[in-house]
Amino acid sequence: MDSTDVKRPLTHLLTTWGVTRLALLLFVFKVFLFPGPDVTTDVSVIYQGWYEILRTGAFPATDITWQYPPAAALAILSPGLLPFLDYASAFFVLAFLADLAVLMLLLDSGLRPGRSPRGAWMWVSAVPLLGPTVYARYDVMVTAVAVAALMAGVRHPRAMGALTALAALLKVWPALLLAGAARKRAWTTTAATAAALAALFALTMPGAFAFLAYQHDRGTEVESVGALALHVARQFGWQGEVLFRYGSLEFVGPYVDLVGNVALGLTALALGWLLLWRLMAEHLAPHTLAEAAFTAVLLFTVTSRVISPQYLVWLIGLAAVCLCSRETRMTLPATLVLTASPLTTLEFPIFFSDVVASTPLGVTLLLLRNALLLTAALTAATRLWRATVPRTSDPSLTHDPRRTRGRPSTGAGRGGAAQPVA
């Protein structure tokens, strides 16, 4: 193949990334104003307030909006690495660099022989559809660590374990990256690293785990799947209201606790399904690791009592890792997440007042976005199950005692060179 044929699409991809990211920077630096409420106040007010406390060597334990595991302090303190910039500007620059790091990881994987650049294109095209919120939250930094963990994959399980532990202590959800991990070294390294980091924070900074109580008390946030029932109930005279609680706008009123409990029950069912899948799955290819992580995060997103816009950054990153494999079964779920991204920007921040007020426009946007995410979750789970769990009626898939259960079926044998998971 002519090298020009390879360079031309790469040039298009990098140009698209540069143009779209310049637009995001112009919005967060307020050269241009993005419609809706200012999404950057979380950085300039909330994050910077936490920064002033964290730099004294303590967590903001008395602030109920601090609902993050202890390593989140590293992300909030990171703008101190750029002392020549004010806090918000430094944060935006670091978010931009995390975005670039994800792109480099995806290109490094996608441009290898037998791999696909679709993952890089997914990241390049989907992230700007979320608007400036991407650079005004630290989730893009967490996603960069999570993508690096999946890239380590089956080839470097200890590296994956260490990165997964760090990412999980930044924002919990990356613990789900282990859903499809077949090697014990990944699990044990994750546990050991997480325990060591947690102990370090607990011993050196007071209030490291105060977030657990606040997270437990959270209610039904207005953008979640469960909140749709309350939005619809409002159209028929339900007298509940929306209040700012625990860092987000939540429903308060009759039956809200019931909706929250149903969501928790569905989350428990999702966890049970993942455990069952893990016990039943036998045909684990290298790309199954990323597919299982994507499916797990989708399931926990749609059953959560909270769906913040930045949650889409996680899903885009994991979908992009899946698409780096030509054999992935997650093309349709990834496409649904891509389609849900602009709808997320429409519901927040552009028409967020309509969502809060449960107007027909707000409810319609929320219904469409959440329906796409729910469909993506169910499709991903179905495809993951069918591809990895043998059918008992198929004689070609009967149990072979020589095959180690849970090992990647397409990986190399002992001493061989297994393909990277992503």
Side-chain angles (χ1 to χ4, degrees), residues 4-19:
T4 304
D5 295 334
V6 176
K7 291 179 180 178
R8 188 178 294 113
L10 181 59
T11 300
H12 292 164
L13 185 146
L14 294 176
T15 300
T16 303
W17 184 86
V19 171

Side-chain angles (χ1 to χ4, degrees), residues 180-365:
R183 298 193 178 183
K184 292 181 180 179
R185 280 177 291 177
W187 286 85
T188 56
T189 304
T190 299
T193 305
L197 289 174
L200 179 63
F201 279 110
L203 292 172
T204 60
M205 296 181 68
F209 294 95
F211 78 98
L212 293 172
Y214 301 143
Q215 188 66 238
H216 175 269
D217 293 334
R218 294 196 75 168
T220 300
E221 191 260 343
V222 295
E223 298 165 273
S224 63
V225 173
L228 280 169
L230 301 173
H231 283 293
V232 173
R234 266 183 156 182
Q235 314 305 312
F236 296 93
W238 179 69
Q239 296 301 310
E241 56 182 339
V242 175
L243 297 178
F244 185 79
R245 302 171 70 235
Y246 301 101
S248 64
L249 290 169
E250 300 179 354
F251 276 113
V252 176
Y255 307 112
V256 172
D257 288 342
L258 174 62
V259 171
N261 289 334
V262 170
L264 289 173
L266 290 173
T267 299
L269 284 176
L271 176 60
W273 181 88
L274 282 170
L275 291 174
L276 178 62
W277 167 77
R278 195 64 188 82
L279 291 171
M280 298 288 291
E282 292 190 5
H283 306 288
L284 302 184
H287 56 267
T288 304
L289 180 63
E291 294 180 345
F294 180 46
T295 301
V297 176
L298 270 170
L299 289 172
F300 278 83
T301 297
V302 298
T303 60
S304 174
R305 293 172 294 175
V306 179
I307 298 183
S308 296
Q310 59 268 27
Y311 289 16
L312 272 290
V313 181
W314 317 343
L315 297 173
I316 291 168
L318 298 182
V321 177
C322 291
L323 293 180
C324 285
S325 170
R326 295 185 184 276
E327 292 78 28
T328 186
R329 298 157 288 239
M330 296 296 152
T331 300
L332 177 56
T335 302
L336 292 171
V337 169
L338 175 66
T339 307
S341 298
L343 289 171
T344 298
T345 303
L346 288 174
E347 63 91 0
F348 181 89
I350 297 177
F351 294 111
F352 192 54
S353 59
D354 288 273
V355 172
V356 173
S358 301
T359 68
L361 173 61
V363 174
T364 300
L365 288 173

Side-chain angles (χ1 to χ4, degrees), residues 125-212:
S125 57
V127 165
L129 296 178
L130 296 176
T133 303
V134 175
Y135 286 176
R137 304 292 186 272
Y138 81 89
D139 295 78
V140 67
M141 302 174 185
V142 183
T143 302
V145 181
V147 168
L150 287 177
M151 291 299 180
V154 294
R155 179 172 287 180
H156 304 290
R158 288 193 178 92
M160 178 191 174
L163 289 168
T164 298
L166 174 60
L169 284 175
L170 281 166
K171 208 163 188 182
V172 180
W173 69 265
L176 296 171
L177 300 179
L178 294 173
R183 298 193 178 183
K184 292 181 180 179
R185 280 177 291 177
W187 286 85
T188 56
T189 304
T190 299
T193 305
L197 289 174
L200 179 63
F201 279 110
L203 292 172
T204 60
M205 296 181 68
F209 294 95
F211 78 98
L212 293 172

Side-chain angles (χ1 to χ4, degrees), residues 54-133:
L54 288 166
R55 65 189 301 195
T56 67
F59 283 90
T62 59
D63 185 348
I64 62 173
T65 62
W66 176 262
Q67 299 179 13
Y68 308 109
L74 302 177
I76 303 303
L77 289 169
S78 62
L81 298 172
L82 304 177
F84 48 87
L85 294 174
D86 64 84
Y87 182 87
S89 298
F91 185 92
F92 300 145
V93 170
L94 291 172
F96 166 82
L97 292 176
D99 179 359
L100 177 60
V102 175
L103 175 63
M104 292 299 100
L105 287 167
L106 292 169
L107 283 176
D108 179 66
S109 174
L111 295 180
R112 294 177 186 175
R115 306 287 288 169
S116 172
R118 291 187 305 159
W121 273 112
M122 174 74 183
W123 181 257
V124 167
S125 57
V127 165
L129 296 178
L130 296 176
T133 303

